Amino acid sequence: MATGEAKVEDHKIVQRNLALQREWYGEPLGDRVRRLVVAFNVSQAQLADVLGISAPMLSQVMSGRRAKIGNPSVLARMIMLERKVLTPDVATGAPEALQRALDDVRESKPTVSRDSFPVNGDESVAYPVLRRVADRVELQQAADLLHEDFPAIAELLRRAIRAASR
C-alpha cells in the first residue's frame, strides 16, 4: 500500500471511530477528556493515571485511533470526574477541592453491573439541583407522596432536605 493510500485508510478508521464514539458516548471522547483536563488543571498523563489507563491508550482514544475504552471501570471513573465537576466545591476551582476529587476517583474501585452503573454513591450532586427547583416543604411533600411506591426516590429527596440544613 502506498503512503498516500495508508494515510487515507488511517483517516477513514479515525472518522469511523469518532462516529462510533458519538454513538456510544454521546460525543467524541477527546472532547470529554479535554474538558476534564481543563476543569481539573491536569495534564493528559495525570488524568490517565487518575482514570487507571495508560497515557498512550488515553491519547489513542482521544485521537480516534481507538474507538472505545475497553475497561468499564475507566469509563466509570471518567463519569465520576464529570459529575464531580458539577459539585460546588470543585466548581470553585479551589486547588485542594480539585485534588481531593482527583484522589477520590483515583482511589475508587468502581464495579459495573447490569443493575447499576457506578457513580460511587455521589448522589450529592443532585441535592443542589433539587433545592433549586423546590423548597424544603415541597421536597418533603414530594417525598411523602412518593414514599409508598418509590421509596428510593423519596429517600433521595429527604437526603437533599437534610443536606440543606447542614
Side-chain angles (χ1 to χ4, degrees):
M1 187 181 295
T3 304
E5 291 173 350
K7 286 183 181 179
V8 169
E9 188 61 29
D10 283 349
H11 180 73
K12 286 180 183 177
I13 291 168
V14 167
Q15 292 308 306
R16 181 202 61 163
N17 288 346
L18 292 174
L20 288 170
Q21 288 179 2
R22 281 185 196 92
E23 179 183 333
W24 295 336
Y25 304 111
E27 64 184 312
L29 289 172
D31 294 347
R32 292 175 71 171
V33 170
R34 277 186 282 284
R35 279 196 301 274
L36 290 172
V37 164
V38 170
F40 286 96
N41 193 29
V42 293
S43 68
Q44 286 181 25
Q46 289 169 315
L47 182 63
D49 176 62
V50 169
L51 296 176
I53 189 173
S54 72
M57 180 72 73
L58 182 61
S59 178
Q60 290 174 0
V61 168
M62 288 180 67
S63 68
R65 301 282 245 170
R66 287 184 174 266
K68 66 179 178 177
I69 296 174
N71 183 336
S73 293
V74 171
L75 179 59
R77 284 187 197 94
M78 185 168 73
I79 292 168
M80 289 166 61
L81 277 178
E82 288 173 329
R83 291 181 178 191
K84 285 186 178 289
V85 168
L86 303 173
T87 60
D89 59 334
V90 172
T92 67
E96 61 278 357
L98 297 176
Q99 190 60 53
R100 192 170 41 253
L102 291 167
D103 291 343
D104 287 349
V105 171
R106 180 185 294 107
E107 294 166 11
S108 71
K109 304 279 188 245
T111 57
V112 179
S113 72
R114 167 177 71 84
D115 298 324
S116 67
F117 194 74
V119 292
N120 243 21
D122 195 6
E123 63 195 27
S124 64
V125 175
Y127 301 160
V129 175
L130 289 169
R131 291 191 304 264
R132 273 197 300 272
V133 297
D135 64 25
R136 294 173 58 111
V137 172
E138 292 170 320
L139 289 173
Q140 185 60 54
Q141 289 172 341
D144 293 344
L145 287 171
L146 294 170
H147 178 73
E148 190 72 32
D149 294 321
F150 304 98
I153 295 172
E155 182 55 30
L156 174 69
L157 295 173
R158 289 188 187 101
R159 283 194 295 271
I161 294 166
R162 287 192 297 271
S165 27
R166 290 185 206 146

